Amino acid sequence: MLKFMTNYLQNRKQRVVVDQSMSIDANVLSGVPQGSILGPLLFVLYINDMHSVVSPGTNIALYADDTKIWRQISSDIDSEILNKDIASLNAWASSNLMRFHPKKCKVVSIGHKHKTLSVLPFYNYPYFIGGELLDFCDSEKDLGILVQEKIN
């Protein structure tokens, strides 16, 4: 099986075709073979240990290349833990030669909006990935379903 997988992944090449023009072949040094039957399985195996870098009480859900983490926020400490978990996931991605795109990452606060956080009304604890501030939004589309802060 190891020899089969090695042969499957080694010496791959790719090229780009635009209209009638074709680039020269380039060696593929990493990544999952696109358009293959084994590609999704290999990717799931590759990211299978991702959950191990988040704290107890922080949940993680993986679907293909989509990752969601969440945690009940009862105090600023919970927000700090979630921020640490985001940093841990970012470090995991970097060490596995992957990258989260901060502009594609969103924060949606579900439930009682910031009831126990800070004395300021509508206070949002800032979350960062790779030093970039993540955007808060009232809703986000998830696998074709619009998820809103009030879950309605």
Side-chain angles (χ1 to χ4, degrees):
M1 182 56 82
L2 180 60
K3 188 172 182 174
F4 169 77
M5 293 304 290
T6 301
N7 286 336
Y8 178 70
L9 294 172
Q10 282 184 336
N11 301 317
R12 292 183 295 128
K13 297 186 180 301
Q14 70 181 21
R15 61 179 153 201
V16 177
V17 177
V18 177
D19 293 327
Q20 302 299 319
S21 300
M22 186 182 315
S23 70
I24 61 171
D25 286 352
N27 291 322
V28 177
L29 303 176
S30 65
V32 174
Q34 299 296 305
S36 67
I37 293 171
L38 286 178
L41 174 64
L42 292 173
F43 185 75
V44 167
L45 291 173
Y46 191 68
I47 66 169
N48 196 40
D49 67 331
M50 222 174 163
H51 69 279
S52 66
V53 302
V54 298
S55 305
T58 299
N59 301 285
I60 185 168
L62 306 170
Y63 182 79
D65 66 346
D66 192 35
T67 304
K68 285 167 211 49
I69 66 168
W70 68 96
R71 164 179 203 94
Q72 182 173 340
I73 305 297
S74 299
S75 69
D76 283 345
I77 293 170
D78 290 318
S79 294
E80 291 169 12
I81 292 170
L82 188 56
N83 227 359
K84 181 184 78 69
D85 290 336
I86 294 168
S88 295
L89 284 170
N90 197 44
W92 176 94
S94 180
S95 69
N96 284 280
L97 305 177
M98 297 174 68
R99 182 175 183 265
F100 287 105
H101 297 282
K103 294 297 175 209
K104 292 184 177 183
C105 298
K106 305 292 182 208
V107 179
V108 179
S109 181
I110 305 288
H112 302 291
K113 188 129 177 124
H114 319 294
K115 184 176 167 185
T116 60
L117 293 181
S118 185
V119 294
L120 300 173
F122 309 112
Y123 169 76
N124 285 329
Y125 186 90
Y127 295 99
F128 298 89
I129 190 163
E132 289 190 48
L133 181 65
L134 297 180
D135 291 332
F136 272 81
C137 58
D138 294 332
S139 63
E140 183 68 17
K141 193 172 260 191
D142 182 27
L143 301 175
I145 296 173
L146 190 63
V147 178
Q148 298 174 313
E149 60 185 3
K150 293 181 182 176
I151 306 289
N152 56 5

